[in-house]
């Protein structure tokens, strides 16, 4: 999603500056390929991505689904395949000789891509920088060594990276400027055969197969304990197969839906696996319980390395526990139900959470007034990227 937003913003920004860029090119002794790269109609994108990036015009040399692995021990069996995809991407970069490399999130894969691009003299921008502040802080040196510019999406990240020698700029979170969904609740209910009279609860067990296998069974147990008085919506993440989800849900009364934001918007509450989905829930102002489980060995190896006081991103941004966190042994169906019942009904607990989620949304839009909230983060990022690309062309 972030990549697709950025591609579209880059095209718009290039269109806006096309006349200026043409006059600049005519007056400057710049190689032709550099000037072509700054005009929207001739911007070309290739790399790693999924359906949304392909729709935005990116040629996906590697499908993001093939890199969709999470966990320390879980990734080991996938290493040969991932390494092969990495080599394919680098080989394609050698053939095409891009003017700029933009890496997005996925640090285990992307810092290696950044290193190879840097070796080839290709400037590297990191959009949605790694969460090295959460664990393995020593790895910040990788950004210092291989990244020319980091565009960060959390307000506290700019200072963290700048203090450690990385040229970082906070551009805002791509989800913070999402408009409220326009589909009416009754229309949505009719489309997916939901009872509009019942409260709805959205279930978000993760976007990767391994995450879903670890998280969904306990979520389904919680749904069964809550009973038939609720409608349960399970958005199908782009990297997941509906057949796989049906095999886990079986006969339980769960409605699979295609769009997480609409489901969250119309739900009374949600059960959300740790990750970007927690930010989505906050942006939709939906009270939720955060859950997460990994393999016992991954948890044993990873827990001592964690350097932050909270797991949920919304709690980190708020600097306090806005939403409950049920991780590993604490993640039981009984605990989920207990916390959900507090926020499903009107009262102080629900009000406090709604106020906290509103503060989080405001934090993600601005950093002490530096960022104008009316501009989408992808637009800010695009302007910086085109400026860097223009500067690179001038230096040639």
């Amino acid at each position: 999603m972030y990549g697709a937003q950025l591609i579209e913003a880059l095209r718009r920004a290039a269109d806006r500056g096309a006349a200026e860029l043409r006059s600049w090119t005519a007056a400057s002794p710049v190689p032709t390929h550099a000037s072509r790269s700054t005009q929207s109609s001739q911007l070309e994108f290739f790399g790693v991505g999924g359906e949304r990036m392909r729709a935005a015009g990116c040629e996906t040399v590697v499908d993001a689904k093939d890199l969709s692995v999470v966990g320390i021990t879980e990734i080991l069996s996938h290493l040969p395949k991932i390494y092969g995809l990495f080599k394919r991407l680098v080989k394609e970069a050698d053939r095409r000789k891009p003017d700029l490399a933009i890496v997005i999130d996925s640090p285990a894969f992307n810092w290696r891509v950044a290193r190879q691009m840097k070796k080839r003299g290709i400037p590297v921008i990191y959009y949605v920088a790694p969460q090295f502040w959460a664990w393995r802080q020593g790895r910040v040196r990788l950004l210092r060594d291989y990244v020319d510019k980091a565009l960060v999406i959390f307000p506290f990240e700019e200072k963290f990276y700048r203090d450690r020698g990385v040229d970082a700029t906070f551009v805002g979170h791509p989800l913070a400027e999402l408009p409220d969904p326009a589909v009416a609740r009754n229309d949505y209910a009719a489309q997916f055969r939901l009872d509009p009279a019942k409260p709805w609860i959205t279930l978000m067990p993760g976007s990767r197969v391994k995450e879903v296998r670890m998280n969904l069974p306990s979520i389904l147990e919680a749904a069964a304990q809550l009973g038939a008085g609720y409608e349960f919506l399970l958005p199908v993440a782009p990297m997941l197969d509906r057949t796989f989800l049906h095999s886990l849900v079986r006969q339980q009364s769960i409605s699979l839906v295609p769009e997480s934001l609409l489901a969250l918007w119309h739900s009374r509450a949600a059960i959300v696996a740790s990750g970007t989905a927690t930010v989505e829930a906050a942006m939709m102002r939906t009270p939720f319980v955060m859950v997460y489980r990994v393999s016992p060995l991954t948890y044993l190896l990873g827990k001592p390395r964690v350097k932050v006081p909270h797991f949920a991103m919304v709690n980190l941004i708020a600097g306090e526990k806005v939403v409950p966190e049920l991780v590993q042994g604490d993640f039981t169906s009984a605990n989920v139900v207990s916390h959900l019942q507090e926020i499903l009904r009107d009262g102080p607990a629900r009000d406090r959470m709604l106020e906290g989620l509103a503060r989080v949304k405001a934090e993600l839009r601005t950093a002490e007034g530096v960022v104008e909230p009316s501009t989408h983060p992808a637009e800010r990022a695009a302007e910086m990227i085109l400026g860097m690309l223009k500067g690179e062309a001038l230096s040639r």
Side-chain angles (χ1 to χ4, degrees):
M1 178 177 66
Y2 298 160
Q5 286 179 348
L6 186 59
I7 289 169
E8 291 161 357
L10 281 165
R11 294 194 192 280
R12 288 192 295 270
D15 282 340
R16 287 193 298 270
E20 177 191 341
L21 290 170
R22 280 195 294 270
S23 62
W24 161 70
T25 302
S28 306
V30 179
T32 307
H33 74 277
S35 63
R36 283 202 306 266
S37 298
T38 52
Q39 295 182 39
S40 172
S41 61
Q42 297 183 44
L43 281 173
E44 296 180 5
F45 302 90
F46 72 95
V48 181
E51 293 177 10
R52 292 179 178 177
M53 285 180 65
R54 281 190 287 274
C58 179
E59 182 179 341
T60 50
V61 177
V62 174
D63 195 301
K65 286 183 180 179
D66 295 329
L67 300 176
S68 184
V69 185
V70 67
I72 298 172
T73 59
E74 291 84 348
I75 202 170
L76 293 176
S77 62
H78 292 79
L79 280 177
K81 176 183 178 182
I82 293 172
Y83 184 70
L85 297 172
F86 167 75
K87 297 294 286 184
R88 181 196 300 175
L89 181 64
V90 172
K91 184 178 180 180
E92 192 64 14
D94 285 338
R95 184 178 74 84
R96 301 198 191 202
K97 296 180 172 50
D99 296 292
L100 193 71
I102 304 169
V103 292
I104 304 175
D105 205 3
S106 305
F109 186 84
N110 273 332
W111 81 257
R112 291 171 170 85
V113 174
R115 179 174 62 184
Q116 292 302 318
M117 298 303 101
K118 194 70 172 175
K119 283 182 179 179
R120 288 156 173 78
I122 299 167
V124 179
I125 291 177
Y126 215 125
Y127 183 44
V128 188
Q131 295 174 6
F132 289 149
W133 40 265
W135 73 321
R136 307 183 81 176
Q137 293 187 359
R139 289 212 156 193
V140 171
R141 62 178 174 77
L142 299 175
L143 269 69
R144 284 199 305 267
D145 293 344
Y146 305 124
V147 173
D148 297 275
K149 181 74 176 178
L151 303 176
V152 300
I153 64 171
F154 297 111
F156 55 83
E157 289 181 316
E158 180 174 301
K159 184 178 188 303
F160 173 85
Y161 280 115
R162 284 186 177 272
D163 286 350
R164 290 158 178 79
V166 177
D167 182 4
T169 300
F170 172 63
V171 294
H173 199 290
L175 293 176
E177 301 300 329
L178 285 173
D180 294 341
V183 178
R185 193 171 190 272
N186 285 339
D187 293 339
Y188 190 80
Q191 183 178 357
F192 296 104
R193 299 180 180 178
L194 304 169
D195 185 349
K198 292 181 180 180
W200 299 355
I201 298 175
T202 293
L203 314 177
M204 301 187 72
S207 60
R208 301 172 176 91
V209 169
K210 182 69 174 182
E211 285 181 314
V212 174
R213 289 193 187 280
M214 298 296 287
N215 296 323
L216 187 57
S218 294
I219 292 175
L220 293 177
E221 288 176 17
Q225 290 174 33
L226 286 164
Y230 298 92
E231 289 278 11
F232 298 98
L233 287 64
L234 201 167
V236 180
M239 294 183 186
L240 294 176
D241 184 82
R242 291 179 70 91
T243 304
F244 162 68
L245 289 173
H246 273 300
S247 71
L248 296 178
V249 172
R250 295 192 177 95
Q251 300 303 314
Q252 198 161 337
S253 182
I254 307 291
S255 299
L256 301 187
V257 296
E259 175 59 61
S260 61
L261 296 177
L262 274 169
L264 287 165
W265 176 251
H266 290 302
S267 288
R268 179 71 176 175
I271 307 170
V272 184
S274 178
T276 302
T278 65
V279 180
E280 291 184 349
M283 297 307 99
M284 294 296 102
R285 302 189 291 281
T286 305
F288 67 96
V289 177
M290 190 223 84
V291 299
Y292 207 69
R293 182 180 289 122
V294 292
S295 71
L297 182 55
T298 290
Y299 188 76
L300 181 67
L301 294 173
K303 183 66 169 66
R305 297 167 179 249
V306 175
K307 306 296 184 185
V308 290
H310 305 292
F311 285 97
M313 186 57 67
V314 295
N315 291 342
L316 287 169
I317 296 164
E320 61 178 325
K321 187 168 283 190
V322 173
V323 302
E325 301 177 346
L326 302 178
V327 178
Q328 212 65 7
D330 292 333
F331 176 19
T332 66
S333 58
N335 284 343
V336 172
V337 170
S338 174
H339 284 288
L340 266 182
Q341 286 175 336
E342 288 186 5
I343 58 174
L344 280 166
R345 60 177 177 263
D346 290 326
R350 182 177 178 87
D351 292 342
R352 280 195 303 270
M353 189 177 293
L354 287 170
E355 289 169 5
L357 296 179
R359 290 197 305 274
V360 168
K361 182 165 186 173
E363 284 285 330
L364 288 179
R365 299 182 74 191
T366 62
E368 297 179 357
V370 174
V371 175
E372 294 182 6
S374 59
T375 307
H376 193 281
E379 302 287 347
R380 301 178 199 123
E383 293 291 347
M384 292 182 188
I385 290 167
L386 287 181
M388 185 172 172
L389 189 58
K390 178 179 175 181
E392 186 68 23
L394 280 169
S395 68
R396 293 178 178 175

